[in-house]
Amino acid sequence: MNAPVRFVDHAEPRHDWTREEVEALFDLPFMELVFQAAQVHRRWFDPSELQLSQLLSIKTGGCAENCGYCSQSASFNTGLKAEKLMDLDNVVVAARAAKAGGAQRFCMGAAWRDLKDRDLPKVAEMITQVKALGLETCVTLGMLKADQAVALKDAGLDYYNHNLDTSPEYYDKVVTTRTYDDRLETLQHVRDAGISTCCGGIVGMGESRQDRASFLHQLATLPVHPDSLPVNALVPVAGTPLGDKIKREGEIDGLEFVRTVAVARLVCPKSMVRLSAGRDDMSRELQALCFLAGANSIFVGGKLLTTPLPGMDQDSVLLRDLGMRPFGTSAET
């Protein structure tokens, strides 16, 4: 029998969660779990608000990593052509368009195993100019060294995304070209530099519920909870090992996905829990359940690196129909 869950009325952040407690949350009756998560959400956030981010691939394809879900890995034949790093002017144009479309944070992703010193000045200038537009800035560039994290902070970077992807136990079924400790080390460099962390993972890769609990336990016991916590549903890409596997075996159940969102909200109560990849395949009703369970951030703009997202028009209608609004806007606007 799982250990009893210590539910705290005021939902103060904890860093002493046990694996058994997180598993017990997953095992709660669905209605009770969502109710508890909704209570915690309301303790820290206005449940009518959503934070809107847009993600641009500034360097697509040709990545040396062998992440089994990724269309951009050079290890797999997915038909994606490798491209060079975008030029600064085009990045700024995309950022202006994102802001005009309602995005509040602009994220830039490069398909690199790690950031090379030769590319650092170009990326730093992108950050500085996007920041000057009045947008929050986020990048995901692979592994970082400590001095590189400091340089990104000096350029004005607000958030660095570096996902754990899955549980330590399932990790080698996903990627073997970098270790779990490599990921944790980069996160430490980011925190030491004073940059906010964006760290989550992907569900629906064939992992068990125990793996999902272990993954969230890892996030909940970090020295500082992620400031943003993206929960991705695997988008199966033909030609990738995990994409082909899931096309054969079936995708994650929608209610199990909602459970994952709810547990993420409970164990990391002050994090922005973001619906990320896979949202294009979710019904309006499933998205609404996720918001009820504590998700309060989404990617917008029609595309997430190389996978589709709903268009801004669809998202605007969804927010209107749910009575929700972007962060920082009044109910009257």
Side-chain angles (χ1 to χ4, degrees):
M1 179 178 296
N2 286 329
V5 178
R6 288 182 286 159
F7 178 69
V8 182
D9 288 342
H10 296 294
E12 294 295 332
R14 289 173 47 193
H15 296 268
D16 62 346
W17 287 94
T18 67
R19 169 88 172 264
E20 291 73 25
E21 286 178 314
V22 181
E23 289 180 356
L25 287 174
F26 268 97
D27 290 340
L28 285 172
F30 182 83
M31 298 302 185
E32 178 62 23
L33 174 59
V34 172
F35 175 70
Q36 288 195 16
Q39 283 185 303
V40 169
H41 188 190
R42 283 157 175 74
R43 167 68 176 84
W44 295 105
F45 299 99
D46 182 338
S48 297
E49 290 188 337
L50 275 180
Q51 188 262 338
L52 307 181
S53 297
Q54 190 158 330
L55 176 59
L56 174 69
S57 179
I58 60 172
K59 194 282 176 190
T60 301
C63 182
E65 299 280 19
N66 66 351
C67 303
Y69 52 80
C70 187
S71 63
Q72 303 197 65
S73 173
S75 299
F76 315 128
N77 182 16
T78 63
L80 188 71
K81 182 181 178 182
E83 299 176 358
K84 295 181 180 180
L85 183 66
M86 286 179 65
D87 65 66
L88 175 63
D89 290 344
N90 286 338
V91 172
V92 173
V93 167
R96 286 200 186 100
K99 183 177 181 181
Q104 299 160 316
R105 183 181 303 171
F106 191 70
C107 307
M108 294 165 275
W112 289 326
R113 183 174 189 272
D114 49 21
L115 174 61
K116 299 294 189 294
D117 288 336
R118 66 173 182 267
D119 294 311
L120 180 55
K122 297 177 185 177
V123 174
E125 186 61 26
M126 291 176 187
I127 292 166
T128 299
Q129 295 214 21
V130 170
K131 181 85 168 178
L133 299 176
L135 288 160
E136 289 184 336
T137 56
C138 179
V139 294
T140 179
L141 311 170
M143 292 183 288
L144 288 183
K145 296 179 289 191
D147 62 318
Q148 292 174 331
V150 172
L152 294 176
K153 173 66 175 178
D154 290 344
L157 184 63
D158 297 302
Y159 291 83
Y160 194 86
N161 168 260
H162 200 63
N163 289 337
L164 293 182
D165 279 356
T166 188
S167 69
E169 298 82 6
Y170 197 69
Y171 185 77
D172 64 359
K173 307 292 192 302
V174 176
V175 56
T176 60
T177 48
R178 77 171 92 163
T179 68
Y180 218 76
D181 285 344
D182 288 336
R183 293 179 184 266
L184 293 172
E185 181 179 48
T186 288
L187 290 171
Q188 187 61 56
H189 292 330
V190 170
R191 289 191 296 267
D192 289 345
I195 302 169
S196 296
T197 56
C198 175
C199 182
I202 307 170
V203 298
M205 297 190 292
E207 78 285 347
S208 66
R209 176 181 285 186
Q210 288 72 30
D211 286 313
R212 291 188 279 278
S214 177
F215 152 64
L216 290 177
H217 175 252
Q218 290 289 317
L219 297 180
T221 55
L222 288 171
V224 179
H225 289 165
D227 300 278
S228 290
L229 197 168
V231 182
N232 296 272
L234 178 71
V235 178
V237 176
T240 61
L242 290 174
D244 293 341
K245 170 185 171 68
I246 298 307
K247 283 179 180 292
R248 293 191 305 269
E249 298 179 3
E251 300 177 18
I252 187 171
D253 173 73
L255 295 183
E256 186 68 15
F257 185 85
V258 176
R259 282 185 181 274
T260 306
V261 169
V263 175
R265 170 54 64 209
L266 286 169
V267 300
C268 295
K270 295 176 70 175
S271 299
M272 304 290 294
V273 177
R274 180 182 300 128
L275 296 187
S276 299
R279 195 167 64 86
D280 191 52
D281 293 326
M282 296 180 189
S283 68
R284 286 158 44 95
E285 294 80 7
L286 178 55
Q287 292 181 68
L289 265 180
C290 289
F291 300 145
L292 181 63
N296 61 342
S297 178
I298 58 173
F299 274 120
V300 296
K303 194 173 186 181
L304 181 65
L305 292 179
T306 61
T307 58
L309 286 172
M312 285 295 289
D313 289 345
Q314 291 174 261
D315 287 330
S316 296
V317 171
L318 178 62
L319 265 64
R320 182 201 66 195
D321 291 349
L322 295 177
M324 304 183 76
R325 61 186 183 277
F327 259 78
T329 60
S330 68
E332 288 76 27
T333 59

